[in-house]
Amino acid sequence: MQSSVDAAREAVRQARSIVVLTGAGVSAESGIPTFRSNGGYWQTQRFQDLATPEGFARDPKLVWTWYEERRRGVAAANPNAGHYALVELEKRAGRFALITQNVDGLHERAGSKNVIRLHGSIWVVRCLTCGVEQMNYEELNDLPPSCECGGMLRPGVVWFGEQLPDGAIERAVDEVKLADIVIVAGTSARVYPAASLIPLAAQSARVIEINPEATDYSEDVTWSLRGTSANILPRLL
Ligand code: BV8
Ligand code: ZN
Protein backbone atom coordinates (compact mmCIF):
# COMPACT_ATOMS: atom_id res chain seq x y z
CA MET A 1 0.00 0.00 0.00
CA GLN A 2 2.96 2.34 0.60
CA SER A 3 3.46 2.76 -3.16
CA SER A 4 -0.20 3.81 -3.54
CA VAL A 5 0.20 6.31 -0.70
CA ASP A 6 3.38 7.63 -2.37
CA ALA A 7 1.61 7.97 -5.72
CA ALA A 8 -1.38 9.66 -4.07
CA ARG A 9 0.89 12.05 -2.15
CA GLU A 10 2.67 13.02 -5.39
CA ALA A 11 -0.70 13.69 -7.07
CA VAL A 12 -1.74 15.86 -4.10
CA ARG A 13 1.56 17.76 -4.27
CA GLN A 14 1.01 18.58 -7.95
CA ALA A 15 -2.70 19.41 -7.64
CA ARG A 16 -3.83 23.00 -8.19
CA SER A 17 -7.36 22.43 -6.93
CA ILE A 18 -8.21 19.99 -4.13
CA VAL A 19 -11.66 19.01 -2.81
CA VAL A 20 -12.19 16.79 0.22
CA LEU A 21 -15.42 14.96 1.12
CA THR A 22 -15.61 13.66 4.68
CA GLY A 23 -17.98 11.49 6.70
CA ALA A 24 -18.28 10.29 10.28
CA GLY A 25 -15.14 8.11 9.96
CA VAL A 26 -12.84 11.15 10.18
CA SER A 27 -14.18 11.86 13.68
CA ALA A 28 -13.87 8.22 14.83
CA GLU A 29 -10.31 8.77 16.10
CA SER A 30 -11.60 11.68 18.16
CA GLY A 31 -13.76 9.14 19.99
CA ILE A 32 -17.01 10.05 18.22
CA PRO A 33 -19.13 7.00 17.21
CA THR A 34 -19.90 6.56 13.50
CA PHE A 35 -23.29 5.45 12.17
CA ARG A 36 -22.71 2.27 10.19
CA SER A 37 -19.28 0.92 11.11
CA ASN A 38 -18.64 -1.11 14.25
CA GLY A 39 -20.02 0.56 17.34
CA GLY A 40 -22.03 2.89 15.12
CA TYR A 41 -25.31 4.46 16.17
CA TRP A 42 -27.45 2.59 13.64
CA GLN A 43 -26.33 -0.75 15.08
CA THR A 44 -28.27 -0.17 18.27
CA GLN A 45 -30.86 2.42 17.28
CA ARG A 46 -33.15 3.09 14.28
CA PHE A 47 -32.44 6.15 12.16
CA GLN A 48 -36.21 6.39 11.57
CA ASP A 49 -36.65 7.19 15.29
CA LEU A 50 -33.71 9.56 15.68
CA ALA A 51 -32.88 11.22 12.35
CA THR A 52 -36.23 11.89 10.62
CA PRO A 53 -38.85 14.63 11.04
CA GLU A 54 -41.43 11.92 11.77
CA GLY A 55 -39.29 10.51 14.57
CA PHE A 56 -38.89 13.99 16.05
CA ALA A 57 -42.64 14.69 15.83
CA ARG A 58 -43.33 11.36 17.53
CA ASP A 59 -40.90 11.84 20.41
CA PRO A 60 -38.96 15.13 20.51
CA LYS A 61 -37.57 14.34 23.97
CA LEU A 62 -36.07 11.03 22.76
CA VAL A 63 -34.46 12.71 19.74
CA TRP A 64 -33.16 15.60 21.83
CA THR A 65 -31.72 13.18 24.41
CA TRP A 66 -29.70 11.57 21.59
CA TYR A 67 -28.56 14.91 20.15
CA GLU A 68 -27.66 16.37 23.54
CA GLU A 69 -25.66 13.21 24.36
CA ARG A 70 -23.81 13.66 21.05
CA ARG A 71 -23.26 17.40 21.74
CA ARG A 72 -21.69 16.58 25.11
CA GLY A 73 -19.51 13.88 23.50
CA VAL A 74 -18.29 16.25 20.79
CA ALA A 75 -17.71 19.08 23.30
CA ALA A 76 -15.42 16.71 25.28
CA ALA A 77 -13.61 15.52 22.13
CA ASN A 78 -10.77 17.12 20.19
CA PRO A 79 -9.97 17.24 16.49
CA ASN A 80 -7.51 14.50 15.50
CA ALA A 81 -4.45 14.37 13.22
CA GLY A 82 -6.73 13.81 10.23
CA HIS A 83 -8.63 17.05 10.86
CA TYR A 84 -5.37 18.97 11.28
CA ALA A 85 -3.87 17.46 8.12
CA LEU A 86 -6.83 18.89 6.17
CA VAL A 87 -6.18 22.34 7.71
CA GLU A 88 -2.57 22.13 6.48
CA LEU A 89 -3.70 20.92 3.05
CA GLU A 90 -6.04 23.92 2.75
CA LYS A 91 -3.10 26.26 3.45
CA ARG A 92 -0.94 24.63 0.78
CA ALA A 93 -3.48 24.10 -2.00
CA GLY A 94 -4.13 26.77 -4.65
CA ARG A 95 -7.86 26.16 -4.53
CA PHE A 96 -9.45 24.09 -1.73
CA ALA A 97 -12.93 23.13 -0.53
CA LEU A 98 -13.90 20.79 2.30
CA ILE A 99 -17.34 19.23 1.89
CA THR A 100 -18.52 17.44 5.01
CA GLN A 101 -21.50 15.29 5.97
CA ASN A 102 -20.48 15.67 9.61
CA VAL A 103 -22.41 17.92 11.95
CA ASP A 104 -19.88 17.86 14.85
CA GLY A 105 -17.97 21.01 13.87
CA LEU A 106 -14.55 19.37 14.46
CA HIS A 107 -13.27 20.53 11.05
CA GLU A 108 -14.04 24.13 11.98
CA ARG A 109 -12.56 23.68 15.47
CA ALA A 110 -9.34 22.36 13.90
CA GLY A 111 -9.15 25.50 11.74
CA SER A 112 -10.61 24.50 8.35
CA LYS A 113 -11.93 27.62 6.63
CA ASN A 114 -13.81 26.79 3.43
CA VAL A 115 -16.25 24.18 4.77
CA ILE A 116 -19.47 23.20 2.98
CA ARG A 117 -21.71 21.53 5.56
CA LEU A 118 -24.16 19.31 3.69
CA HIS A 119 -26.11 18.10 6.75
CA GLY A 120 -26.09 21.16 9.01
CA SER A 121 -24.60 21.49 12.48
CA ILE A 122 -25.28 19.89 15.86
CA TRP A 123 -24.43 23.31 17.36
CA VAL A 124 -27.33 25.06 15.63
CA VAL A 125 -30.88 25.11 17.01
CA ARG A 126 -33.93 26.23 15.03
CA CYS A 127 -37.35 27.24 16.36
CA LEU A 128 -40.31 25.37 14.87
CA THR A 129 -42.55 28.39 15.51
CA CYS A 130 -40.61 31.56 14.66
CA GLY A 131 -37.92 29.89 12.53
CA VAL A 132 -35.05 31.71 14.30
CA GLU A 133 -31.81 29.76 13.91
CA GLN A 134 -28.87 30.28 16.27
CA MET A 135 -25.63 28.74 17.50
CA ASN A 136 -26.08 27.10 20.90
CA TYR A 137 -23.23 25.45 22.81
CA GLU A 138 -25.01 25.27 26.17
CA GLU A 139 -25.62 22.10 28.11
CA LEU A 140 -29.35 21.59 27.46
CA ASN A 141 -30.97 20.03 30.53
CA ASP A 142 -34.64 20.75 29.94
CA LEU A 143 -35.47 18.71 26.81
CA PRO A 144 -36.93 19.53 24.34
CA PRO A 145 -35.55 23.10 24.71
CA SER A 146 -37.75 26.13 24.07
CA CYS A 147 -37.20 29.33 22.12
CA GLU A 148 -37.67 32.78 23.71
CA CYS A 149 -40.93 32.93 21.72
CA GLY A 150 -42.11 29.80 23.54
CA GLY A 151 -41.81 27.61 20.46
CA MET A 152 -40.02 24.23 20.47
CA LEU A 153 -36.42 24.13 19.24
CA ARG A 154 -35.08 21.39 16.93
CA PRO A 155 -31.46 20.53 16.08
CA GLY A 156 -30.21 22.51 13.05
CA VAL A 157 -29.32 19.36 11.10
CA VAL A 158 -30.71 17.77 7.93
CA TRP A 159 -32.73 14.61 8.65
CA PHE A 160 -33.62 11.84 6.18
CA GLY A 161 -36.33 13.02 3.83
CA GLU A 162 -35.32 16.68 4.34
CA GLN A 163 -33.79 18.98 1.76
CA LEU A 164 -30.14 19.95 2.20
CA PRO A 165 -29.36 23.59 3.07
CA ASP A 166 -30.07 25.94 0.12
CA GLY A 167 -27.27 25.83 -2.39
CA ALA A 168 -25.09 23.39 -0.43
CA ILE A 169 -25.10 20.48 -2.88
CA GLU A 170 -24.89 22.85 -5.86
CA ARG A 171 -21.76 24.52 -4.38
CA ALA A 172 -20.31 21.08 -3.67
CA VAL A 173 -20.94 19.94 -7.26
CA ASP A 174 -19.27 23.09 -8.62
CA GLU A 175 -16.21 22.57 -6.42
CA VAL A 176 -15.91 18.89 -7.39
CA LYS A 177 -16.06 19.78 -11.11
CA LEU A 178 -13.16 22.22 -10.67
CA ALA A 179 -10.95 19.80 -8.72
CA ASP A 180 -7.86 17.95 -9.98
CA ILE A 181 -7.84 15.77 -6.87
CA VAL A 182 -10.81 14.70 -4.71
CA ILE A 183 -10.06 13.02 -1.38
CA VAL A 184 -12.97 10.99 0.06
CA ALA A 185 -12.33 10.15 3.70
CA GLY A 186 -14.36 8.32 6.34
CA THR A 187 -17.65 7.83 4.56
CA SER A 188 -19.60 4.65 3.82
CA ALA A 189 -20.94 6.41 0.70
CA ARG A 190 -24.48 5.26 1.51
CA VAL A 191 -26.26 8.60 2.02
CA TYR A 192 -27.43 10.70 -0.94
CA PRO A 193 -27.04 13.18 -2.47
CA ALA A 194 -23.64 13.43 -0.68
CA ALA A 195 -22.46 10.06 -2.01
CA SER A 196 -23.27 11.08 -5.60
CA LEU A 197 -20.29 13.46 -5.41
CA ILE A 198 -17.94 10.45 -5.55
CA PRO A 199 -18.87 9.09 -9.02
CA LEU A 200 -19.15 12.72 -10.18
CA ALA A 201 -15.56 13.32 -9.01
CA ALA A 202 -14.34 10.18 -10.80
CA GLN A 203 -15.50 11.69 -14.12
CA SER A 204 -13.03 14.57 -14.06
CA ALA A 205 -10.58 14.21 -11.18
CA ARG A 206 -8.31 11.63 -9.66
CA VAL A 207 -9.98 10.33 -6.50
CA ILE A 208 -8.26 9.13 -3.32
CA GLU A 209 -10.48 7.11 -0.95
CA ILE A 210 -9.37 6.67 2.67
CA ASN A 211 -11.30 4.01 4.60
CA PRO A 212 -10.41 0.89 6.61
CA GLU A 213 -13.21 -0.87 4.66
CA ALA A 214 -14.19 -0.97 1.00
CA THR A 215 -17.24 0.98 -0.16
CA ASP A 216 -19.53 0.72 -3.20
CA TYR A 217 -17.23 3.17 -4.97
CA SER A 218 -13.83 1.67 -4.08
CA GLU A 219 -13.53 0.18 -7.60
CA ASP A 220 -14.23 3.55 -9.23
CA VAL A 221 -11.55 5.62 -7.49
CA THR A 222 -7.92 6.07 -8.52
CA TRP A 223 -6.42 5.05 -5.16
CA SER A 224 -8.47 3.22 -2.51
CA LEU A 225 -6.25 3.41 0.58
CA ARG A 226 -7.15 0.91 3.31
CA GLY A 227 -6.48 2.71 6.54
CA THR A 228 -7.68 5.34 8.99
CA SER A 229 -7.89 9.04 8.25
CA ALA A 230 -5.73 10.10 11.24
CA ASN A 231 -3.00 7.78 9.95
CA ILE A 232 -3.23 8.32 6.18
CA LEU A 233 -4.21 11.99 5.75
CA PRO A 234 -0.97 13.29 7.36
CA ARG A 235 0.98 10.99 5.02
CA LEU A 236 -0.54 12.75 2.00
CA LEU A 237 1.03 16.09 2.98
C1 BV8 B 1 -32.64 14.30 0.47
C2 BV8 B 1 -28.42 13.83 10.26
C3 BV8 B 1 -34.15 15.22 -1.09
C4 BV8 B 1 -27.39 14.69 10.85
C5 BV8 B 1 -28.03 12.43 8.35
C6 BV8 B 1 -36.42 7.24 0.33
C7 BV8 B 1 -37.19 8.22 0.96
C8 BV8 B 1 -36.65 9.47 1.29
C9 BV8 B 1 -35.33 9.74 1.00
C10 BV8 B 1 -34.59 8.75 0.38
C11 BV8 B 1 -35.11 7.52 0.04
N1 BV8 B 1 -34.12 6.77 -0.54
C12 BV8 B 1 -32.99 7.50 -0.58
C13 BV8 B 1 -33.28 8.71 -0.04
C14 BV8 B 1 -32.38 9.79 0.12
C15 BV8 B 1 -31.84 9.75 1.56
C16 BV8 B 1 -30.81 8.66 1.63
O1 BV8 B 1 -29.73 8.82 1.10
N2 BV8 B 1 -31.12 7.53 2.28
C17 BV8 B 1 -30.12 6.46 2.34
C18 BV8 B 1 -30.09 5.84 3.72
C19 BV8 B 1 -30.43 5.46 1.25
N3 BV8 B 1 -31.24 11.04 1.74
C20 BV8 B 1 -31.95 12.04 2.26
O2 BV8 B 1 -33.06 11.92 2.71
C21 BV8 B 1 -31.26 13.39 2.21
N4 BV8 B 1 -32.17 14.37 1.72
O3 BV8 B 1 -32.35 13.41 -0.30
O4 BV8 B 1 -33.52 15.33 0.14
C22 BV8 B 1 -35.31 14.30 -0.88
C23 BV8 B 1 -36.34 14.69 -0.04
C24 BV8 B 1 -37.43 13.84 0.13
C25 BV8 B 1 -37.48 12.60 -0.52
C26 BV8 B 1 -36.40 12.19 -1.36
C27 BV8 B 1 -35.32 13.04 -1.52
C28 BV8 B 1 -30.81 13.80 3.60
C29 BV8 B 1 -29.63 12.95 4.02
C30 BV8 B 1 -29.07 13.50 5.33
C31 BV8 B 1 -29.50 12.60 6.43
N5 BV8 B 1 -28.94 13.06 7.70
N6 BV8 B 1 -27.74 12.73 9.61
C32 BV8 B 1 -26.77 13.93 11.99
O5 BV8 B 1 -27.45 13.77 13.02
O6 BV8 B 1 -25.60 13.50 11.83
S1 BV8 B 1 -27.23 11.16 7.59
C33 BV8 B 1 -25.94 10.56 8.50
O7 BV8 B 1 -25.26 9.70 7.59
C34 BV8 B 1 -24.91 11.60 8.91
O8 BV8 B 1 -25.09 12.89 8.42
C35 BV8 B 1 -23.62 10.99 8.32
O9 BV8 B 1 -22.65 11.92 8.10
C36 BV8 B 1 -24.20 10.46 7.07
C37 BV8 B 1 -23.39 9.59 6.19
O10 BV8 B 1 -22.80 8.58 6.97
P1 BV8 B 1 -21.20 8.55 7.00
O11 BV8 B 1 -20.73 9.92 7.35
O12 BV8 B 1 -20.70 7.94 5.75
O13 BV8 B 1 -20.92 7.64 8.26
P2 BV8 B 1 -21.05 6.04 8.32
O14 BV8 B 1 -21.09 5.64 9.75
O15 BV8 B 1 -22.15 5.58 7.39
O16 BV8 B 1 -19.68 5.52 7.67
C38 BV8 B 1 -18.47 5.76 8.36
C39 BV8 B 1 -17.37 5.27 7.43
O17 BV8 B 1 -16.13 5.61 8.03
C40 BV8 B 1 -17.38 3.78 7.24
O18 BV8 B 1 -17.22 3.48 5.86
C41 BV8 B 1 -16.16 3.28 8.04
O19 BV8 B 1 -15.54 2.18 7.41
C42 BV8 B 1 -15.27 4.47 7.99
N7 BV8 B 1 -14.37 4.62 9.13
C43 BV8 B 1 -14.51 4.15 10.40
N8 BV8 B 1 -13.44 4.53 11.14
C44 BV8 B 1 -12.64 5.27 10.33
C45 BV8 B 1 -13.21 5.33 9.06
N9 BV8 B 1 -12.65 5.98 8.03
C46 BV8 B 1 -11.48 6.60 8.26
N10 BV8 B 1 -10.85 6.59 9.45
C47 BV8 B 1 -11.40 5.94 10.51
N11 BV8 B 1 -10.77 5.92 11.70
ZN1 ZN C 1 -39.15 30.92 18.37
Side-chain angles (χ1 to χ4, degrees):
M1 178 167 79
Q2 186 51 39
S3 60
S4 305
V5 172
D6 293 343
R9 179 174 51 249
E10 184 52 25
V12 166
R13 196 184 61 76
Q14 291 169 7
R16 288 182 321 285
S17 169
I18 299 177
V19 162
V20 182
L21 170 66
T22 60
V26 302
S27 295
E29 285 154 292
S30 295
I32 310 289
T34 64
F35 293 90
R36 297 170 189 82
S37 51
N38 45 352
Y41 290 118
W42 301 154
Q43 294 186 337
T44 54
Q45 296 157 306
R46 287 172 8 104
F47 76 84
Q48 294 86 343
D49 296 335
L50 298 175
T52 63
E54 297 78 16
F56 184 72
R58 227 180 358 258
D59 192 343
K61 188 174 171 70
L62 172 76
V63 173
W64 262 113
T65 303
W66 182 56
Y67 274 93
E68 180 54 14
E69 185 187 292
R70 290 174 65 194
R71 286 159 53 101
R72 293 305 112 220
V74 172
N78 295 303
N80 62 59
H83 294 106
Y84 289 114
L86 295 179
V87 175
E88 183 54 34
L89 198 55
E90 181 168 19
K91 288 179 187 147
R92 295 188 192 180
R95 184 182 174 82
F96 182 90
L98 170 55
I99 304 163
T100 189
Q101 300 171 85
N102 299 341
V103 297
D104 56 33
L106 288 179
H107 285 305
E108 296 86 340
R109 249 169 68 196
S112 289
K113 298 278 177 274
N114 187 12
V115 182
I116 301 174
R117 275 182 296 278
L118 296 181
H119 297 160
S121 167
I122 202 165
W123 300 114
V124 169
V125 295
R126 184 164 73 242
C127 178
L128 295 177
T129 304
C130 69
V132 162
E133 195 163 275
Q134 54 190 9
M135 302 307 287
N136 176 306
Y137 297 95
E138 292 158 31
E139 190 156 340
L140 300 169
N141 299 305
D142 178 21
L143 301 178
S146 302
C147 172
E148 283 89 28
C149 83
M152 184 188 295
L153 294 174
R154 61 161 282 175
V157 301
V158 178
W159 282 323
F160 287 102
E162 293 189 319
Q163 297 293 341
L164 273 59
D166 281 353
I169 197 69
E170 291 80 2
R171 254 183 79 201
V173 164
D174 291 347
E175 290 293 350
V176 163
K177 285 181 175 169
L178 286 171
D180 312 314
I181 288 280
V182 174
I183 300 172
V184 179
T187 183
S188 62
R190 294 276 180 76
V191 173
Y192 289 82
S196 60
L197 296 169
I198 304 169
L200 174 72
Q203 286 173 15
S204 55
R206 287 192 289 177
V207 182
I208 303 167
E209 180 186 51
I210 298 169
N211 197 319
E213 295 166 17
T215 69
D216 290 352
Y217 294 109
S218 294
E219 300 296 310
D220 309 315
V221 303
T222 317
W223 296 285
S224 184
L225 306 178
R226 283 287 155 280
T228 73
S229 47
N231 174 283
I232 294 191
L233 280 171
R235 289 163 60 189
L236 292 182
L237 289 178

